[in-house]
PDB file of all heavy atoms in Angstrom:
ATOM      1  N   VAL A  10     179.675 129.938  45.117  1.00  0.00           N
ATOM      2  CA  VAL A  10     179.967 129.807  46.580  1.00  0.00           C
ATOM      3  C   VAL A  10     181.252 130.601  46.882  1.00  0.00           C
ATOM      4  O   VAL A  10     181.355 131.244  47.874  1.00  0.00           O
ATOM      5  CB  VAL A  10     180.011 128.330  46.947  1.00  0.00           C
ATOM      6  CG1 VAL A  10     180.616 128.233  48.331  1.00  0.00           C
ATOM      7  CG2 VAL A  10     178.649 127.707  46.837  1.00  0.00           C
ATOM      8  N   LEU A  11     182.257 130.465  45.990  1.00  0.00           N
ATOM      9  CA  LEU A  11     183.540 131.151  46.173  1.00  0.00           C
ATOM     10  C   LEU A  11     183.264 132.675  46.380  1.00  0.00           C
ATOM     11  O   LEU A  11     183.756 133.224  47.349  1.00  0.00           O
ATOM     12  CB  LEU A  11     184.420 130.890  44.961  1.00  0.00           C
ATOM     13  CG  LEU A  11     185.583 131.913  44.787  1.00  0.00           C
ATOM     14  CD1 LEU A  11     186.662 131.603  45.850  1.00  0.00           C
ATOM     15  CD2 LEU A  11     186.225 131.755  43.408  1.00  0.00           C
ATOM     16  N   PHE A  12     182.495 133.300  45.543  1.00  0.00           N
ATOM     17  CA  PHE A  12     182.268 134.707  45.515  1.00  0.00           C
ATOM     18  C   PHE A  12     181.446 135.050  46.797  1.00  0.00           C
ATOM     19  O   PHE A  12     181.606 136.033  47.357  1.00  0.00           O
ATOM     20  CB  PHE A  12     181.810 135.271  44.259  1.00  0.00           C
ATOM     21  CG  PHE A  12     182.782 135.109  43.165  1.00  0.00           C
ATOM     22  CD1 PHE A  12     182.601 134.297  42.123  1.00  0.00           C
ATOM     23  CD2 PHE A  12     183.977 135.825  43.232  1.00  0.00           C
ATOM     24  CE1 PHE A  12     183.560 134.192  41.117  1.00  0.00           C
ATOM     25  CE2 PHE A  12     184.904 135.730  42.252  1.00  0.00           C
ATOM     26  CZ  PHE A  12     184.668 134.876  41.163  1.00  0.00           C
ATOM     27  N   ALA A  13     180.555 134.249  47.145  1.00  0.00           N
ATOM     28  CA  ALA A  13     179.701 134.422  48.292  1.00  0.00           C
ATOM     29  C   ALA A  13     180.536 134.360  49.609  1.00  0.00           C
ATOM     30  O   ALA A  13     180.415 135.215  50.495  1.00  0.00           O
ATOM     31  CB  ALA A  13     178.543 133.381  48.410  1.00  0.00           C
ATOM     32  N   LEU A  14     181.404 133.381  49.679  1.00  0.00           N
ATOM     33  CA  LEU A  14     182.338 133.239  50.869  1.00  0.00           C
ATOM     34  C   LEU A  14     183.261 134.411  51.008  1.00  0.00           C
ATOM     35  O   LEU A  14     183.465 134.882  52.095  1.00  0.00           O
ATOM     36  CB  LEU A  14     183.043 131.970  50.803  1.00  0.00           C
ATOM     37  CG  LEU A  14     182.296 130.668  51.096  1.00  0.00           C
ATOM     38  CD1 LEU A  14     183.106 129.436  50.808  1.00  0.00           C
ATOM     39  CD2 LEU A  14     181.752 130.680  52.465  1.00  0.00           C
ATOM     40  N   THR A  15     183.907 134.842  49.875  1.00  0.00           N
ATOM     41  CA  THR A  15     184.903 135.819  50.042  1.00  0.00           C
ATOM     42  C   THR A  15     184.227 137.243  50.228  1.00  0.00           C
ATOM     43  O   THR A  15     184.866 138.135  50.733  1.00  0.00           O
ATOM     44  CB  THR A  15     185.784 135.897  48.819  1.00  0.00           C
ATOM     45  OG1 THR A  15     184.999 136.048  47.595  1.00  0.00           O
ATOM     46  CG2 THR A  15     186.669 134.691  48.694  1.00  0.00           C
ATOM     47  N   GLY A  16     182.995 137.373  49.915  1.00  0.00           N
ATOM     48  CA  GLY A  16     182.281 138.614  50.096  1.00  0.00           C
ATOM     49  C   GLY A  16     181.454 138.682  51.330  1.00  0.00           C
ATOM     50  O   GLY A  16     180.890 139.619  51.743  1.00  0.00           O
ATOM     51  N   GLY A  17     181.334 137.473  52.038  1.00  0.00           N
ATOM     52  CA  GLY A  17     180.491 137.365  53.167  1.00  0.00           C
ATOM     53  C   GLY A  17     181.132 137.689  54.462  1.00  0.00           C
ATOM     54  O   GLY A  17     182.190 138.407  54.546  1.00  0.00           O
ATOM     55  N   PRO A  18     180.608 137.196  55.619  1.00  0.00           N
ATOM     56  CA  PRO A  18     181.161 137.503  56.902  1.00  0.00           C
ATOM     57  C   PRO A  18     182.657 137.033  57.042  1.00  0.00           C
ATOM     58  O   PRO A  18     182.953 136.029  56.490  1.00  0.00           O
ATOM     59  CB  PRO A  18     180.181 136.837  57.925  1.00  0.00           C
ATOM     60  CG  PRO A  18     179.297 135.955  57.099  1.00  0.00           C
ATOM     61  CD  PRO A  18     179.443 136.286  55.613  1.00  0.00           C
ATOM     62  N   ALA A  19     183.289 137.711  57.883  1.00  0.00           N
ATOM     63  CA  ALA A  19     184.757 137.381  58.107  1.00  0.00           C
ATOM     64  C   ALA A  19     184.862 136.136  58.952  1.00  0.00           C
ATOM     65  O   ALA A  19     184.140 135.846  59.868  1.00  0.00           O
ATOM     66  CB  ALA A  19     185.495 138.564  58.782  1.00  0.00           C
ATOM     67  N   TRP A  20     185.950 135.396  58.642  1.00  0.00           N
ATOM     68  CA  TRP A  20     186.219 134.124  59.419  1.00  0.00           C
ATOM     69  C   TRP A  20     187.173 134.446  60.569  1.00  0.00           C
ATOM     70  O   TRP A  20     187.212 133.791  61.526  1.00  0.00           O
ATOM     71  CB  TRP A  20     186.822 133.103  58.574  1.00  0.00           C
ATOM     72  CG  TRP A  20     185.982 132.515  57.504  1.00  0.00           C
ATOM     73  CD1 TRP A  20     184.663 132.452  57.554  1.00  0.00           C
ATOM     74  CD2 TRP A  20     186.392 132.020  56.231  1.00  0.00           C
ATOM     75  NE1 TRP A  20     184.195 131.841  56.341  1.00  0.00           N
ATOM     76  CE2 TRP A  20     185.169 131.643  55.590  1.00  0.00           C
ATOM     77  CE3 TRP A  20     187.587 131.910  55.586  1.00  0.00           C
ATOM     78  CZ2 TRP A  20     185.158 131.060  54.345  1.00  0.00           C
ATOM     79  CZ3 TRP A  20     187.561 131.275  54.321  1.00  0.00           C
ATOM     80  CH2 TRP A  20     186.382 130.906  53.704  1.00  0.00           C
ATOM     81  N   PRO A  23     190.697 140.082  59.193  1.00  0.00           N
ATOM     82  CA  PRO A  23     191.246 140.200  57.820  1.00  0.00           C
ATOM     83  C   PRO A  23     192.574 140.914  57.828  1.00  0.00           C
ATOM     84  O   PRO A  23     192.880 141.706  58.684  1.00  0.00           O
ATOM     85  CB  PRO A  23     190.244 141.105  57.132  1.00  0.00           C
ATOM     86  CG  PRO A  23     189.112 141.338  58.029  1.00  0.00           C
ATOM     87  CD  PRO A  23     189.509 140.844  59.358  1.00  0.00           C
ATOM     88  N   ASN A  41     191.856 136.420  54.551  1.00  0.00           N
ATOM     89  CA  ASN A  41     190.957 136.179  55.699  1.00  0.00           C
ATOM     90  C   ASN A  41     190.892 134.640  55.922  1.00  0.00           C
ATOM     91  O   ASN A  41     190.758 133.891  54.989  1.00  0.00           O
ATOM     92  CB  ASN A  41     189.591 136.746  55.383  1.00  0.00           C
ATOM     93  CG  ASN A  41     188.741 136.875  56.619  1.00  0.00           C
ATOM     94  OD1 ASN A  41     189.159 136.423  57.745  1.00  0.00           O
ATOM     95  ND2 ASN A  41     187.623 137.535  56.479  1.00  0.00           N
TER      96      ASN A  41
END
Side-chain angles (χ1 to χ4, degrees):
V10 170
L11 163 70
F12 294 114
L14 285 174
T15 56
W20 293 332
N41 196 352

